[in-house]
Amino acid sequence: MSTRNLLVELFVEELPPKALQKLGEAFSGVLAESLKASGLLSDSSSVTTFASPRRLAAHMTGVSAKAADKQVAQKLMPATVGMDASGNATPALLKKLQALGENESAVAKLRKEHDGKADILFLDATQAGATLQEGLQKALDETLAKLPIPKVMTYQINDGWESVNFVRPAHGLVALHGSEIVPVSTLGLTAGNTTQGHRFEAKSPVVTITSADTYAQQLADEGAVIASFDARRAEIVQQLQAAADKQGLKPIDYDALLDEVTALVERPNVLLGQFEEEFLAVPQECLILTMKANQKYFPLLDASGKLTNKFLIVSNINPADPSKVIGGNERVVRPRLADAKFFFDQDRKKTLESRLAGLDKVVYHNKLGSQGERNERVVAIASAIAQQIGGDGFVAKVAQAARLSKVDLLTDMVGEFPELQGIMGRYYAQHEGLADDVAYAIEDHYRPRFAGDALPRSQVGVVVALADKLETLVGLFSIGEKPTGDKDPFALRRQALGILRMLMETELPLAFDQLIAQTLAVFNGSQDVAEAIKAFCFDRLAVNLRDQGASAQEVDAVLSLSPNQLAEVPRRLSAVQAFANLAEAPALAAANKRVSNILKKVEGDVKAEVNESLLQESAEKALHQALAETKPKADHLFETGDYTASLQALAVLKAPVDLFFDEVMVNADDPALKANRLGLLATLHQAMNRVADLSKLAS
């Protein structure tokens, strides 16, 4: 059956920019899925997505005008229900056939098929394939119903009576199969072959699309519109880079802003603007944020990454004289920068310390008190951690940074730009002459804020960040605010991962259990809460390690020992992965699992002790001798932190362990002999499970 390419476009008023890319992908994706389900689109067909501020469109190759007919087997009912004792159709069967558009003559065509329980009646029929008009109409209806619309609008269609719901009012529909219009309709619109180009730059108000394949080129040539989101984005990147290179500068790297600007323009034109150099006295983070968030400009940086007074504007028009566009944008940005300068100047008139009392007036959580009360808890936790690491001077710096860590929430600048919390605290601390590690700790205590984010730059910052995250995690667990399913309103999973990363990557000598206990003491929490937090954190750690490529068995082997020094986890995991690659690993893991099961069944504790005089079988003597030679080496390597070598040293035990289980009866009739053999197995178990529980590697 011959095929042609298909183009579908929905022309609308300006779409929400932050949703445009997803809307475009969903529009083409659901259309294609539905057409494929109807048999009109093959698996080899390619789908191209178009999304601009005023249109959602899709181009699909190899679309059939009609789907192929197909044979279907319609399950009817059990034969005992459909046929009487004489083999005649029952009223129930005739009614069913009538509902399917068949008459009594179809009875002769029925077949029986046994389903394992009874004979079932089936009707084999030919189902006519859907026409493109039918399939596309269904696909359009499904697509509009499934679009990820952030907020629906209700508006009247052209008849002046009926109202419809959509993300924005729609004004045009194009559906072309080759050059032929497919007569489908939606949102009060009937498909045609005309659309509109750029509001101001198009050669003519209406663009008549010749065929599905000329759509993108005609819009570009006649309508001054780059219909493809990706192509428009690439054009903006190229123009930004070219304009920056001309100035010997570089545009700020900010993907979210680039996506948003791509969704705001139909044909980009990058222009250069600038502002007065006096504004550069304001911290560059403030200026960059106000330009990005409020004006959608791309600030320009010098080679060292320092902000300059130049910025790039992505305009939607391309006038012969761009000076008025540039001048208008420069006039608009100036008051924004002036506001930032005013906030910065005003904030510095009060010290951070003088603002502390204001935290008592800010509610943190109705069950956990004010930000002031929370601040006191963070200071107490941070001080307790600091005492385990450094002397009085270090403890004093940590306490000061913790005490001032949230004060910038009360400043005008952070009130205007919450994204700058911590950053402004650092600037104001430096302005007051506080030590750099204290100032940077105020900024860094929010780190890591997301996966892959940098850790705090100093030990002072790490301790304050740990205290802040521990206070959040333990405090909210203490009042029952735990994540459930995919709901995590307080981002406790992120807080837990931040704690785990800092403990693993900084290698500070901090015991995880002790940190939880110290924090829990501040809340007078119970041991049950401590266990719940530990289980939660280790679950997050397991997921994280698996995401990094470790197998579930390897992760389980390490974490089942509940290592208290989390800095050891990466080294232990690496050692387990190296051990798992040894030829002896499967047999030793299986033997270890067998040993674990034997020892679990014994009542009471089994001491890892062996009386040599009670060793009778040559196999148990050989295992005892191998352990006597191997265990001290493995233990020494373990104590020095060489976990990989420690585990690999155990490989020589494979042969004596295998021989022991082949030739020795552990559960001997003689109680003394049995106890001695259990002691030998306990010694083996102890030797093999210091780095990780190797039994977890057994399949």
Side-chain angles (χ1 to χ4, degrees), residues 74-84 88-100 110-113 115 118-123:
Q74 178 71 46
K75 183 178 180 180
L76 301 177
M77 59 187 66
T80 54
V81 177
M83 297 289 191
D84 60 21
N88 298 316
T90 64
L93 177 59
L94 294 174
K95 186 175 181 181
K96 179 69 173 177
L97 290 172
Q98 187 179 8
L100 295 173
L110 300 183
R111 62 181 173 85
K112 293 179 184 177
E113 188 174 311
D115 68 352
D119 285 333
I120 305 297
L121 293 174
F122 285 86
L123 172 65

Side-chain angles (χ1 to χ4, degrees), residues 65-247:
K66 182 179 181 298
D69 296 344
K70 59 181 180 180
Q71 296 299 118
V72 293
Q74 178 71 46
K75 183 178 180 180
L76 301 177
M77 59 187 66
T80 54
V81 177
M83 297 289 191
D84 60 21
S86 304
N88 298 316
T90 64
L93 177 59
L94 294 174
K95 186 175 181 181
K96 179 69 173 177
L97 290 172
Q98 187 179 8
L100 295 173
E102 301 284 349
N103 55 35
E104 193 171 353
S105 64
V107 174
K109 296 185 289 183
L110 300 183
R111 62 181 173 85
K112 293 179 184 177
E113 188 174 311
H114 199 72
D115 68 352
K117 295 180 180 179
D119 285 333
I120 305 297
L121 293 174
F122 285 86
L123 172 65
D124 294 324
T126 300
Q127 187 179 80
T131 65
L132 179 56
Q133 181 182 354
E134 293 167 344
L136 183 55
Q137 185 63 62
K138 179 185 175 187
L140 262 179
D141 294 341
E142 284 184 16
T143 299
L144 267 59
K146 292 182 179 180
L147 281 182
I149 296 174
K151 193 173 183 180
V152 174
M153 287 184 66
T154 300
Y155 63 95
Q156 277 189 337
I157 59 175
N158 290 337
D159 66 5
W161 293 98
E162 188 181 352
S163 292
V164 293
N165 298 320
F166 196 53
V167 58
R168 292 290 186 271
H171 298 295
L173 178 64
V174 175
L176 290 175
H177 189 221
S179 57
E180 182 181 333
I181 296 172
V182 184
V184 291
S185 60
T186 190
L187 300 175
L189 303 167
T190 301
N193 63 351
T194 60
T195 186
Q196 295 181 36
H198 195 289
R199 283 189 186 275
F200 312 110
E201 307 277 338
K203 291 180 180 178
S204 62
V206 175
V207 178
T208 301
I209 307 300
T210 306
S211 74
D213 294 342
T214 63
Y215 172 75
Q217 195 61 51
Q218 280 190 263
L219 268 181
D221 295 342
E222 302 171 38
V225 171
I226 301 174
S228 165
F229 187 96
D230 291 340
R232 210 163 54 254
R233 192 180 194 273
E235 174 65 17
I236 293 172
V237 170
Q238 186 275 324
Q239 288 192 37
L240 287 171
Q241 195 59 56
D245 288 345
K246 196 172 180 180
Q247 300 296 318

Side-chain angles (χ1 to χ4, degrees), residues 394-415:
F394 179 74
V395 174
K397 283 186 174 181
V398 166
Q400 184 181 33
R403 189 171 65 254
L404 301 177
S405 61
K406 302 295 183 186
V407 177
D408 69 350
L409 296 175
L410 305 175
T411 62
D412 291 341
M413 187 71 85
V414 174

Side-chain angles (χ1 to χ4, degrees), residues 499-519:
I499 293 167
L500 296 167
R501 272 194 62 197
M502 284 186 282
L503 291 175
M504 287 194 296
E505 295 177 31
T506 62
E507 298 198 357
L508 290 175
L510 298 170
F512 186 58
D513 283 349
Q514 187 178 352
L515 289 175
I516 299 297
Q518 287 173 337
T519 309

